[in-house]
């Protein structure tokens, strides 16, 4: 697999995701909130529990983190990437969540879907 577009910096990736993330949620604040809650519970809570909890909660957080790491292995293998990247999945999810929130922010300020220097039209506004 080889991308024809170069994304050498995190800002380039942010712009790529932010360009369409809120549109994929149909510009819905409710779907945005659900996405943030889902990402938080699924990817961030296990890390928080692993680092800050004690006893059973810490153990379950660690198990959940290791399970998500293990579940990502086939995809990492497909792209010939080290399995250790699976441990970074919570950080990757946090970045995606931030980029999605940025997408909603940009949309709210009339700059949603920026591509080649111009904001893309909101399809729902054209109807």
């Amino acid at each position: 697999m080889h991308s024809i577009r170069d994304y050498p910096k995190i800002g380039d990736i942010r712009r790529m995701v932010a360009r369409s993330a809120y549109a994929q949620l149909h510009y819905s604040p409710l779907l945005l909130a659900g996405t943030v809650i889902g990402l938080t519970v699924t990817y961030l809570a296990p890390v928080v529990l692993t680092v800050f909890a004690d006893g059973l909660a810490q153990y379950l957080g660690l198990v959940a983190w290791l399970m998500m790491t293990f579940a990502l292995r086939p995809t990492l293998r497909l792209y010939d990437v080290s399995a250790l990247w699976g441990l970074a999945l919570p950080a990757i999810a946090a970045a995606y969540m931030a980029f999605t929130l940025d997408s909603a922010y940009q949309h709210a300020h009339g700059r949603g879907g920026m591509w080649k220097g111009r904001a893309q039209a909101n399809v729902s506004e054209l109807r």
Side-chain angles (χ1 to χ4, degrees):
M1 180 102 206
H2 181 72
S3 176
I4 58 173
R5 290 197 170 93
D6 193 22
Y7 297 102
K9 298 178 185 168
I10 192 75
D12 299 320
I13 296 169
R14 181 197 59 80
R15 282 186 292 281
M16 182 217 18
V17 172
R19 185 168 46 245
S20 63
Y22 196 49
Q24 291 175 348
L25 297 173
H26 304 288
Y27 307 101
S28 167
L30 186 60
L31 288 176
L32 177 65
T35 298
V36 169
I37 291 167
L39 287 169
T40 299
V41 169
T42 304
Y43 297 104
L44 304 183
V47 175
V48 171
L49 290 172
T50 300
V51 175
F52 297 109
D54 290 318
L56 182 60
Q58 184 178 36
Y59 172 76
L60 292 175
L62 179 60
V63 168
W65 190 0
L66 292 174
M67 286 174 63
M68 76 172 86
T69 298
F70 183 76
L72 190 62
R73 287 185 67 212
T75 302
L76 294 173
R77 192 176 318 119
L78 177 68
Y79 291 103
D80 197 28
V81 176
S82 169
L84 292 176
W85 275 102
L87 293 170
L89 190 55
I92 294 165
Y96 182 79
M97 181 171 38
F99 300 160
T100 302
L101 289 168
D102 181 49
S103 180
Y105 177 84
Q106 296 300 330
H107 173 76
H109 289 86
R111 298 185 302 263
M114 289 300 285
W115 178 249
K116 297 184 180 180
R118 58 187 180 271
Q120 304 300 306
N122 179 348
V123 175
S124 65
E125 292 172 355
L126 297 176
R127 294 181 192 161

